[in-house]
Amino acid sequence: MASQCVTKVELTVSCENLLDKDIGSKSDPLCVLLMSSSDSQWYEVGRTEKVQNCLCPKFAKKFVIDYYFEIVQKLKFGIYDIDNKTVDLSDDDFLGQLECTLGQVVSSKRLIRPLVLKNKSPAGKGTITITAEEIKDNRVVNFEVEARKLDNKDFFGKSDPYLEFYKQTATGWQLAHRTEVVNNNLNPTWKPFRIPLQSLCGGDMEKPIKVECYDYDNDGSHDLIGTFETTMTRFQQASRTSPAEFECINSKKKQKKKGYKNSGVVGVKICNVVKEYTFLDYIMGGCQINFTVAIDFTGSNGDPKSPQSLHYISPQGVNEYLSATWSVGNVIQDYDSDKRFPAFGFGAQVPPTWQVSHEFPLNFNAADPFCVGIEGVVAAYRVCLPQVKLYGPTNFSPIINHVACFAKQALQQTTASQYFVLLIITDGVITDMDETRSAIVNASRLPMSIIIIGVGGADFSAMEFLDGDEGHLRSQTGEAAMRDIVQFVPYRQFQNAPSQALAQSVLAELPQQVASFFSLFKLKPPHDPNPS
């Protein structure tokens, strides 16, 4: 599941105003990139070339790294003045470093920061510029294809044709796409389909593409009707008025039959190459992810003063609510430029009237419910907890509808500039199931996703139901969600795992949800993520 979020990012580094450590000439800088894995150990990813006598180097050698949206990937760029041929950098002069996360680099597109020395003091006026670019041909090909006069392979009825498209690779033909089967039809029209250009021909318009036409048989012994080879250049000559036509040839039949012409003709009516934006394209092109936190303060959590309560803060200062907020928020905050998060509670009696509220700001400031950074959310929670009375019922729909209001305003957008993520942390007991289902179905049409983290050991079957992985969630009236926007994760499955494992699981589906929403509504990033 998480693997679909992996993408390769190319980082280009340059520096300005480096310290000059050489007498009689200028520094000879090199950049080394270190990454920190889960256990906080730094390991070397690679080095650029050395640039001779230069205080403002532009390094030609780039770093290519796998980017995982769901993990905080820490980077450390170190600049050294190379004075010898040894691989060890400890005997070279240190010119400064920058620590940041890959998320920060990706969302800035171009990150310019001052270099610092090991003691964190400025490295003179030295700065470093890091540019990120996703390595990917993100074009897709939209096809509309038909065929006529295909050979009949069936004794009863007619052939049931389907097509397979193959990409040529060094090791042979690799299947890129298979159409659906059109039953009992020698003149089929297949449903429109799309194939990533990378999968079809590696972006090379002249690379051979093989198409095979089969008659489908239930027992798997599909009969080859015929085949042809072509290129994208030839496909692109297609138009509705004059389709690009290809004769299907069955070589066995050709050998046996005198005067054999073909086994049918495949016509390509439409072959359009379009750019398909990825999650990274949207982020790099200026899309903002707006993150809202909602915490469950209902009575089923237990009295916060009792060590059995899910809200009990241990002597170490933690509980499951805090840990969950911290680990997910840490990843998301790199994608939110102002780092201000609205944070709410639900299901408690709130001073001064002691009315039950299902969307009260943790900082008790309705006009400005924003907390600064994840630290601010945690601090507001600690202050709020002793001041409210845990109560009930457990209603999710008010807070979902609250965020949906903002997402609905964002529907006015003409570009992919805003997307909203609601994080609900709950003990999983839900009272307003029907209203919540309707709220989610409505939200599925908006630039919005919902993440639910279940804390404690209750029965989470209701939460699993809301996470429509088994098929689209429906409202009580039978209306289906337009897309799956809910991701549910039980916290206790991750209790003994490394801290980033929870965030990884929780956020694994989000990039796909963001990209598919904007693609569905044909919204482009606010500005070109890859200006040439």
Side-chain angles (χ1 to χ4, degrees):
M1 185 172 65
S3 60
Q4 68 194 33
C5 309
V6 179
T7 182
K8 288 202 181 303
V9 175
E10 186 181 74
L11 302 180
T12 307
V13 180
S14 62
C15 297
E16 298 276 331
N17 302 316
L18 292 177
L19 291 169
D20 196 353
K21 292 287 190 173
D22 287 359
I23 298 160
S25 67
K26 297 196 174 93
S27 295
D28 308 314
L30 163 154
C31 176
V32 59
L33 172 59
L34 304 173
M35 273 182 87
S36 164
S37 55
S38 50
D39 52 12
S40 307
Q41 294 292 314
W42 291 97
Y43 62 92
E44 184 172 322
V45 174
R47 302 179 182 194
T48 63
E49 76 283 13
K50 173 179 88 170
V51 179
Q52 202 75 25
N53 287 332
C54 182
L55 302 182
C56 299
K58 291 180 170 62
F59 298 106
K61 184 171 182 294
K62 301 173 191 305
F63 300 111
V64 176
I65 41 186
D66 283 338
Y67 163 77
Y68 298 79
F69 166 70
E70 324 89 285
I71 303 176
V72 176
Q73 291 169 278
K74 290 187 189 151
L75 307 178
K76 189 192 288 184
F77 296 85
I79 310 294
Y80 289 85
D81 171 23
I82 304 300
D83 292 322
N84 54 40
K85 295 217 163 21
T86 63
V87 176
D88 187 5
L89 293 172
S90 60
D91 57 4
D92 296 295
D93 290 322
F94 177 64
L95 302 178
Q97 67 181 28
L98 168 71
E99 277 190 43
C100 61
T101 69
L102 187 51
Q104 287 167 336
V105 178
V106 164
S107 52
S108 307
K109 272 286 301 277
R110 195 155 172 264
L111 190 72
I112 304 175
R113 291 281 187 272
L115 289 164
V116 296
L117 299 172
K118 298 264 160 92
N119 62 7
K120 302 279 188 276
S121 64
K125 293 182 175 163
T127 63
I128 184 168
T129 302
I130 302 147
T131 312
E133 191 178 350
E134 188 179 9
I135 302 182
K136 208 160 147 293
D137 190 328
N138 54 3
R139 290 173 294 171
V140 295
V141 193
N142 290 322
F143 281 103
E144 287 188 24
V145 182
E146 61 191 5
R148 67 173 192 272
K149 297 187 177 165
L150 293 175
D151 282 354
N152 194 6
K153 296 283 187 179
D154 290 353
F155 290 123
F156 306 107
K158 302 190 179 93
S159 294
D160 310 307
Y162 68 91
L163 300 176
E164 290 187 340
F165 288 70
Y166 285 85
K167 170 187 184 176
Q168 192 184 52
T169 70
T171 51
W173 294 100
Q174 183 183 323
L175 181 64
H177 184 80
R178 182 183 289 120
T179 67
E180 87 280 10
V181 175
V182 177
N183 283 328
N184 212 22
N185 195 333
L186 301 180
N187 301 291
T189 298
W190 286 277
K191 287 179 186 156
F193 56 92
R194 57 200 331 203
I195 310 177
L197 196 60
Q198 193 112 26
S199 314
L200 190 57
C201 61
D204 177 352
M205 297 304 187
E206 299 302 330
K207 188 192 263 286
I209 294 164
K210 185 164 74 163
V211 181
E212 297 183 337
C213 181
Y214 285 92
D215 166 34
Y216 177 85
D217 282 322
N218 277 337
D219 64 4
S221 61
H222 313 305
D223 299 312
L224 179 68
I225 294 174
T227 153
F228 62 89
E229 279 186 36
T230 183
T231 63
M232 269 303 295
T233 304
R234 178 81 178 82
F235 271 150
Q236 285 186 289
Q237 292 165 1
S239 71
R240 274 196 196 281
T241 46
S242 64
E245 299 203 323
F246 304 90
E247 288 187 291
C248 272
I249 304 297
N250 187 316
S251 54
K252 280 188 184 163
K253 208 167 164 185
K254 189 177 179 179
Q255 284 166 4
K256 285 182 192 166
K257 196 173 168 190
K258 258 196 163 141
Y260 171 83
K261 207 167 161 210
N262 60 46
S263 294
V265 175
V266 170
V268 176
K269 293 184 290 186
I270 283 188
C271 171
N272 289 338
V273 178
V274 294
K275 185 172 164 61
E276 175 139 279
Y277 293 104
T278 62
F279 172 69
L280 268 201
D281 286 329
Y282 290 114
I283 294 292
M284 290 171 147
C287 176
Q288 276 302 309
I289 307 261
N290 301 288
F291 184 54
T292 301
V293 186
I295 293 179
D296 180 340
F297 285 93
T298 53
S300 50
N301 284 280
D303 180 355
K305 296 186 190 69
S306 151
Q308 278 70 52
S309 168
L310 295 169
H311 278 295
Y312 174 74
I313 297 180
S314 73
Q316 291 76 38
V318 292
N319 64 26
E320 290 186 27
Y321 279 97
L322 282 170
S323 303
T325 306
W326 197 254
S327 83
V328 176
N330 257 330
V331 173
I332 289 262
Q333 68 178 354
D334 279 343
Y335 299 89
D336 192 313
S337 62
D338 64 4
K339 309 272 186 284
R340 286 164 46 80
F341 305 120
F344 296 91
F346 59 92
Q349 293 177 318
V350 183
T353 59
W354 301 105
Q355 291 290 102
V356 174
S357 171
H358 297 293
E359 43 174 315
F360 60 91
L362 292 189
N363 63 6
F364 299 114
N365 182 349
D368 185 12
F370 292 87
C371 303
V372 177
I374 289 303
E375 303 84 358
V377 176
V378 166
Y381 167 82
R382 289 176 186 278
V383 171
C384 167
L385 186 60
Q387 298 189 55
V388 298
K389 288 182 187 156
L390 272 57
Y391 207 70
T394 309
N395 291 354
F396 282 15
S397 57
I399 190 67
I400 294 174
N401 291 331
H402 173 93
V403 175
C405 276
F406 292 97
K408 195 165 188 181
Q409 287 167 12
L411 264 190
Q412 319 294 306
Q413 62 194 359
T414 51
T415 61
S417 54
Q418 303 278 335
Y419 195 90
F420 293 80
V421 179
L422 169 61
L423 172 65
I424 300 176
I425 310 179
T426 175
D427 70 356
V429 183
I430 179 170
T431 319
D432 66 337
M433 191 57 157
D434 291 341
E435 291 85 349
T436 295
R437 279 162 61 184
S438 292
I440 291 170
V441 168
N442 290 336
S444 71
R445 291 167 176 65
L446 303 173
M448 174 172 170
S449 289
I450 300 166
I451 292 165
I452 304 174
I453 298 183
V455 294
D459 172 13
F460 288 125
S461 51
M463 302 297 106
E464 302 277 9
F465 173 72
L466 294 176
D467 181 349
D469 281 347
E470 302 304 311
H472 282 315
L473 179 75
R474 289 183 181 272
S475 69
Q476 199 189 359
T477 56
E479 190 184 358
M482 189 188 240
R483 50 199 190 97
D484 176 16
I485 61 164
V486 179
Q487 170 74 338
F488 167 71
V489 174
Y491 178 80
R492 289 205 171 165
Q493 281 182 8
F494 295 88
Q495 231 169 351
N496 302 317
S499 60
Q500 75 273 21
L502 173 70
Q504 206 173 337
S505 177
V506 164
L507 299 171
E509 291 181 16
L510 188 62
Q512 195 46 39
Q513 290 173 1
V514 172
S516 63
F517 175 83
F518 289 132
S519 168
L520 204 60
F521 284 82
K522 299 186 170 52
L523 295 174
K524 293 183 175 175
H527 45 259
D528 185 358
N530 297 307
S532 43

